[in-house]
Amino acid sequence: MARGARGARAARTRGSLATVAVAVLAAATLIVTGTPSGATGPGDDDGGGGATTAGSGPVAGAADAGVEADVSYHGHVSLWNGRLGLWLATANHGPAPLAGATVRLRFSVPLDRDATLPPSCLRTGPAVVHCGTGAMRAAGSGVQLALDVATVGTPNEVGVDIDTVWNGGISDRNLVNNTHRVDALATGDAYSF
């Protein structure tokens, strides 16, 4: 009888793990395909996917493809009374178009667990958010993302690390314009990147 109970428990555990794996795969697909963010603009955990990230160099396959693009992120971060605002504009300076990219936003403080994010964004940890950019034509602007979320507590400052974690395997040799560290004091001022 004990052996049968263990087998049933093991089957339930495998079923639960399979359900979690499917949910993670669905969320990753949402980000990777660049589902429209609901934000304005033309072109419609913490681990990385297959892109160029700070200090890592191009992903496997990018050099073989010989295709190059230049993703960039610019905007500003504000912090006031336990609220965090982040406005981010995406662009691709070319020469090749992109099917999409995934930008990772890592905050130095956790976000409120009930924080509402744009439709193309997914929370992947207490202080980490991944957002899909959607397709970006060569030498064109992409979407604009806007986050207005509560933090846990009322911090005096917050740091935000911004980088690309997936871009479809396209080579991006200019990481300066898509890898940023922004520190914002709780003054309500806009700290640009």
Side-chain angles (χ1 to χ4, degrees):
M1 196 68 150
R3 179 177 274 162
R6 271 187 295 215
R9 194 174 14 212
R12 279 194 306 270
T13 300
R14 282 191 304 275
S16 296
L17 290 174
T19 301
V20 169
V22 168
V24 169
L25 180 58
T29 300
L30 170 73
I31 290 173
V32 167
T33 59
T35 301
S37 68
T40 61
D44 281 280
D45 148 299
D46 195 19
T52 305
T53 58
S56 69
V59 254
D64 298 335
V67 180
E68 187 171 337
D70 183 12
V71 176
S72 73
Y73 310 121
H74 297 287
H76 63 264
V77 177
S78 296
L79 179 66
W80 68 98
N81 298 328
R83 293 210 61 85
L84 177 68
L86 184 140
W87 180 81
L88 180 137
T90 65
N92 173 17
H93 300 294
L98 287 172
T102 302
V103 59
R104 175 175 48 191
L105 310 169
R106 288 182 289 179
F107 303 96
S108 62
V109 298
L111 304 179
D112 183 81
R113 68 179 191 170
D114 296 324
T116 301
L117 300 172
S120 70
C121 296
L122 176 69
R123 188 174 182 157
T124 57
V128 181
V129 173
H130 286 83
C131 298
T133 67
M136 289 190 278
R137 64 184 185 273
S141 58
V143 298
Q144 297 176 13
L145 299 170
L147 279 74
D148 179 1
V149 296
T151 59
V152 172
T154 310
N156 292 328
E157 67 179 288
V158 65
V160 184
D161 290 307
I162 302 160
D163 63 345
T164 302
V165 294
W166 180 85
N167 68 6
I170 302 281
S171 175
D172 186 344
R173 296 173 197 230
N174 181 11
L175 299 180
V176 173
N177 61 1
N178 70 351
T179 304
H180 305 283
R181 169 68 183 194
V182 185
D183 293 312
L185 298 176
T187 60
D189 295 321
Y191 292 85
S192 297
F193 58 91

